[in-house]
Amino acid sequence: MEPITSVAIGYAADKLVSVAESLVKTHVIERWSRYRAQTFFEAFCTAIVDVSATDDELREKLDELMSDDARSQVVFEAYRSVCLSKSRSIGPRVIAFLTAEIVLSGSAASEDDEQIFSAAEALSDNEFEELHAFVHAELEKAESPPSSGAWFHVEIRKETSSASSSNALPYVPPLDHALYVGRWGAKLKQLGLLDDEVQERSWRYGVDTERHIDEGGIAREVKWVLAIGPAARRLATFAQRAGKGTDRSAMDRV
């Protein structure tokens, strides 16, 4: 038997790559692209017409909206985001709901809208759920709800430290979003939907023999505060609405 030549090996490798490429395209790329697209269009249609609308009424409404170049462009850009969405279910629905709002209003996407589109593309389903749970819990604890265009501030952690006159206070690092908020926090900060600040308060203290303080120094209280922008709160509201429709019905039809 003749030894396997490099040509034969190369031919076999090419065939394997071709088969793998075909399988991945059919069972992975096409399958999940179709699932995301179906999820998007289902949510979009329910957002622009009443659920009791007939097929003809839906078709008429879509024809009316899509005949406008600006509106059809909004839908096209939204569909592009859906195809790239990290989320399988909630992200495409969020994009659909926001797209429906813009299309029905006949206006262009605002800066906040663009931030929400980017976030809907970047977050996973679990991150959407964590975002909504966090924002909802913090708003529930607030004494009064923030106005629609205002940033909402939340104290994430607080720490008190001290140092004698002969020592320096420790370095204060910025808020670690991934550690104390979640990976969604780090993503939203990068996209401009969240911000944070460090608030410091310091005071001097003297010798106190009764409290066994033999040397004076300085004490410091540090608060790490998360600022939640109006776009982030809208995103959380969309995520709650989208999460209610998350089930396996569409997946079963893929």
Side-chain angles (χ1 to χ4, degrees):
M1 180 181 294
E2 296 184 1
I4 299 176
T5 66
S6 59
V7 174
I9 293 174
Y11 174 77
D14 288 343
K15 291 295 291 182
L16 286 174
V17 169
S18 178
V19 170
E21 182 180 10
S22 177
L23 289 173
V24 168
K25 180 181 178 181
T26 301
H27 296 290
V28 179
I29 298 175
E30 290 182 358
R31 180 189 187 199
W32 290 111
S33 295
R34 185 165 63 250
Y35 173 70
R36 282 169 169 78
Q38 186 169 336
T39 301
F40 167 79
F41 286 117
E42 285 180 353
F44 179 74
C45 290
T46 58
I48 63 172
V49 295
D50 189 84
V51 291
S52 61
T54 64
D55 289 350
D56 287 341
E57 289 172 333
L58 173 60
R59 188 176 297 106
E60 182 180 351
K61 186 66 175 180
L62 287 172
D63 285 342
E64 174 193 341
L65 294 175
M66 295 303 100
S67 61
D68 180 82
D69 287 345
R71 286 168 167 163
S72 61
Q73 179 67 23
V74 170
V75 175
F76 173 78
E77 293 296 336
Y79 181 71
R80 181 194 61 81
S81 294
V82 167
C83 294
L84 299 174
S85 171
K86 182 177 178 64
S87 163
R88 293 187 302 177
S89 300
I90 298 179
R93 288 191 179 98
V94 168
I95 294 170
F97 295 148
L98 178 56
T99 302
E101 279 192 6
I102 297 170
V103 168
L104 289 173
S105 69
S107 60
S110 65
E111 184 178 345
D112 279 3
D113 293 335
E114 295 293 353
Q115 288 181 326
I116 293 173
F117 277 132
S118 296
E121 189 178 313
L123 298 188
S124 67
D125 284 330
N126 286 339
E127 289 167 342
F128 271 117
E129 292 170 355
E130 292 172 2
L131 162 67
H132 165 251
F134 178 88
V135 173
H136 177 74
E138 293 301 331
L139 288 174
E140 284 286 306
K141 292 187 290 185
E143 295 181 359
S144 59
S147 60
S148 60
W151 286 69
F152 178 54
H153 295 81
V154 177
E155 182 182 310
I156 300 299
R157 58 185 293 240
K158 181 169 66 175
E159 185 178 283
T160 302
S161 58
S162 61
S164 63
S165 301
S166 56
N167 294 304
L169 286 166
Y171 165 71
V172 179
L175 178 66
D176 187 333
H177 287 252
L179 179 61
Y180 292 101
V181 180
R183 294 178 61 186
W184 61 268
K187 291 180 180 180
L188 294 193
K189 181 184 179 182
Q190 186 176 20
L191 293 171
L193 285 81
L194 297 180
D195 202 354
D196 60 79
E197 61 180 18
V198 177
Q199 300 175 355
E200 295 185 42
R201 181 174 68 91
S202 59
W203 62 93
R204 293 193 173 276
Y205 61 88
V207 175
D208 189 337
T209 55
E210 292 185 1
R211 296 171 58 193
H212 305 288
I213 299 176
D214 301 323
E215 184 180 354
I218 186 168
R220 179 180 63 191
E221 179 187 78
V222 180
K223 294 180 181 179
W224 286 265
V225 178
L226 180 69
I228 304 172
R233 296 204 306 277
R234 283 183 67 203
L235 178 65
T237 301
F238 280 132
Q240 178 189 25
R241 182 181 171 191
K244 292 178 180 178
T246 302
D247 54 38
R248 292 190 57 82
S249 60
M251 182 61 215
D252 293 338
R253 296 192 293 271
V254 173

